[in-house]
């Protein structure tokens, strides 16, 4: 069994919990992994990779993510979210809507974001690191009293809790991430996912599985003949002319439309990420 299963992860479950449930249903007969970890308090679409699809990890992990979240003003916790211990709370805080909208947009495009290595370091206010992250788009959906509902589209390694900390600093107030749901991961959408509780038997997995060919349909594609197919399956170097006008993640298909390998093209050179054999 090879493919990607889109699971709607509920809050209070870990991504690992979802993987373990699928593993148990498959009786540990297939490799199973996930792309794009979701924290326990987050819900939303989680791609679970099965069989040879686990080799797509490097490709999928680069995907953009889209979330809908709620930001609560006037609250500070030791984890920067609603699960932490409340440090300060002021329900009478007054902030202009125009200021909120401006502060959410100030980091549009991307910026150097400061993160802590892990939750323990965050609580102890130490081990801060800084790296550039991409913020593709952010929209305010609704503002009601101390609650701000927002939609955000981000790149890999973007930390939403750190972003909201920076928004709070820009506003000159306190605030936390109150809830978060991922509605899109690359081309995978929440509306196409299956609720975790509805996965009870192997057929529930098979009937919702996206095969590798469809899971990689967004990538550039090269079709090869039988002679070149043998070179691909052996991981041999390929003719540079094949990759003229191609850049980025690329898949190689046989004449029978089966996926042979995936890789990355840069400057006309194809670097293998994984040789898959011949899979649909």
């Amino acid at each position: 069994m090879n493919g990607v299963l889109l699971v709607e992860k509920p809050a209070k479950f870990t991504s690992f919990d979802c993987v373990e449930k699928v593993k148990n249903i498959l009786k540990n007969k297939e490799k199973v992994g996930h792309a794009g970890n979701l924290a326990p308090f987050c819900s939303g679409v989680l791609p679970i990779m099965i069989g040879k699809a686990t080799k797509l990890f490097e490709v999928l992990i680069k995907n953009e993510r889209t979330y809908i979240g709620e930001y609560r003003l006037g609250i500070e916790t030791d984890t920067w979210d609603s699960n932490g211990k409340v440090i300060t709370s002021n329900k009478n805080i007054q902030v202009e809507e125009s200021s909120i909208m401006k502060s959410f947009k100030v980091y549009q495009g991307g910026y150097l974001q400061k993160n802590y290595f892990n939750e323990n370091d965050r609580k102890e206010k130490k081990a801060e690191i800084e790296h550039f992250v991409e913020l593709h788009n952010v929209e305010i959906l609704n503002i009601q009293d101390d609650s701000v509902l927002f939609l955000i589209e981000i790149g890999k390694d973007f930390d939403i809790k750190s972003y909201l900390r920076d928004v709070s600093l820009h506003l000159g107030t306190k605030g936390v991430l109150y809830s978060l749901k991922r509605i899109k991961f690359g081309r995978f959408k929440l509306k196409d996912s299956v609720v975790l509780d509805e996965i009870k038997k192997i057929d529930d997995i098979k009937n919702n599985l996206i095969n590798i060919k469809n899971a990689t349909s967004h990538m550039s594609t090269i079709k090869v003949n039988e002679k070149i197919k043998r070179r691909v399956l052996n991981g041999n170097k390929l003719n540079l002319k094949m990759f003229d006008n191609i850049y980025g993640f690329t898949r190689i298909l046989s004449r029978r439309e089966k996926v042979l390998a995936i890789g990355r093209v840069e400057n006309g050179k194809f670097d293998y990420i994984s040789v898959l054999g011949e899979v649909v």
Side-chain angles (χ1 to χ4, degrees):
M1 187 183 297
N2 304 302
V4 178
L5 177 69
L6 301 183
V7 171
E8 182 176 347
K9 186 190 88 66
K12 298 183 180 180
F13 279 73
T14 67
S15 299
F16 182 75
D17 290 335
C18 298
V19 168
E20 282 300 294
K21 180 170 184 177
V22 172
K23 274 186 177 181
N24 290 335
I25 292 173
L26 296 175
K27 298 180 180 179
N28 293 310
K29 292 182 179 180
E30 301 284 356
K31 287 185 177 180
V32 182
H34 69 81
N37 185 56
L38 279 172
F41 82 99
C42 300
S43 62
V45 58
L46 178 71
I48 291 184
M49 305 165 295
I50 299 172
K52 290 185 177 180
T54 55
K55 296 181 179 182
L56 300 178
F57 177 81
E58 186 175 338
V59 176
L60 297 182
I61 201 66
K62 302 289 186 181
N63 282 339
E64 297 176 1
R65 293 103 155 124
T66 303
Y67 296 83
I68 289 179
E70 183 184 0
Y71 168 67
R72 286 285 180 91
L73 286 158
I75 304 173
E76 182 182 16
T77 71
D78 59 354
T79 58
W80 305 346
D81 60 44
S82 57
N83 284 341
K85 180 181 178 182
V86 176
I87 299 172
T88 60
S89 178
N90 179 9
K91 294 185 178 181
N92 297 318
I93 192 166
Q94 298 291 326
V95 181
E96 294 289 334
E97 287 192 12
S98 59
S99 297
I100 294 172
M101 297 179 77
K102 181 179 179 181
S103 293
F104 266 77
K105 289 283 189 179
V106 74
Y107 302 107
Q108 185 89 31
Y111 73 111
L112 283 174
Q113 186 179 76
K114 291 182 179 180
N115 287 338
Y116 295 101
F117 285 116
N118 55 52
E119 290 293 333
N120 290 330
D121 289 335
R122 179 176 289 160
K123 291 175 183 178
E124 295 174 18
K125 302 290 189 294
K126 67 178 184 179
E128 199 172 59
I129 58 174
E130 188 176 64
H131 60 283
F132 184 82
V133 293
E134 295 179 337
L135 172 55
H136 302 298
N137 184 46
V138 61
E139 299 175 19
I140 302 298
L141 303 178
N142 187 49
I143 299 176
Q144 183 70 40
D145 299 325
D146 62 349
S147 173
V148 180
L149 190 68
F150 64 94
L151 181 145
I152 189 167
E153 299 172 13
I154 58 177
K156 181 178 179 289
D157 295 330
F158 189 102
D159 186 83
I160 295 176
K161 289 195 285 188
S162 296
Y163 163 72
L164 292 177
R165 175 202 61 179
D166 296 333
V167 168
S168 299
L169 290 172
H170 192 266
L171 280 169
T173 185
K174 304 294 184 182
V176 298
L177 177 62
Y178 196 77
S179 66
L180 190 66
K181 174 176 283 190
R182 185 160 66 197
I183 61 172
K184 191 177 179 184
F185 184 87
R187 60 184 291 269
F188 302 132
K189 299 178 181 179
L190 177 61
K191 67 180 183 67
D192 299 322
S193 61
V194 58
V195 176
L196 183 64
D197 283 345
E198 294 178 358
I199 305 172
K200 301 180 185 300
K201 54 186 185 298
I202 291 180
D203 283 346
D204 296 330
I205 296 174
K206 289 181 178 179
N207 294 337
N208 291 284
L209 200 64
I210 302 171
N211 64 35
I212 290 177
K213 183 181 175 184
N214 288 333
T216 58
S217 62
H218 62 291
M219 298 170 62
S220 299
T221 301
I222 295 287
K223 291 184 181 180
V224 298
N225 58 32
E226 287 297 311
K227 181 179 179 180
I228 298 177
K229 183 181 84 171
R230 289 192 292 272
R231 293 184 58 81
V232 172
L233 294 178
N234 288 325
N236 298 143
K237 290 183 179 180
L238 302 174
N239 190 326
L240 296 182
K241 291 183 179 180
M242 295 174 59
F243 304 105
D244 286 348
N245 303 317
I246 291 179
Y247 185 85
F249 291 120
T250 303
R251 62 180 184 169
I252 300 179
L253 268 58
S254 68
R255 284 182 173 177
R256 294 183 178 182
E257 299 284 325
K258 292 187 176 181
V259 184
L260 305 174
I262 56 172
R264 185 186 293 105
V265 176
E266 291 184 9
N267 301 318
K269 179 184 176 183
F270 180 80
D271 291 321
Y272 288 91
I273 292 175
S274 181
V275 176
L276 299 170
E278 291 187 76
V279 296
V280 177

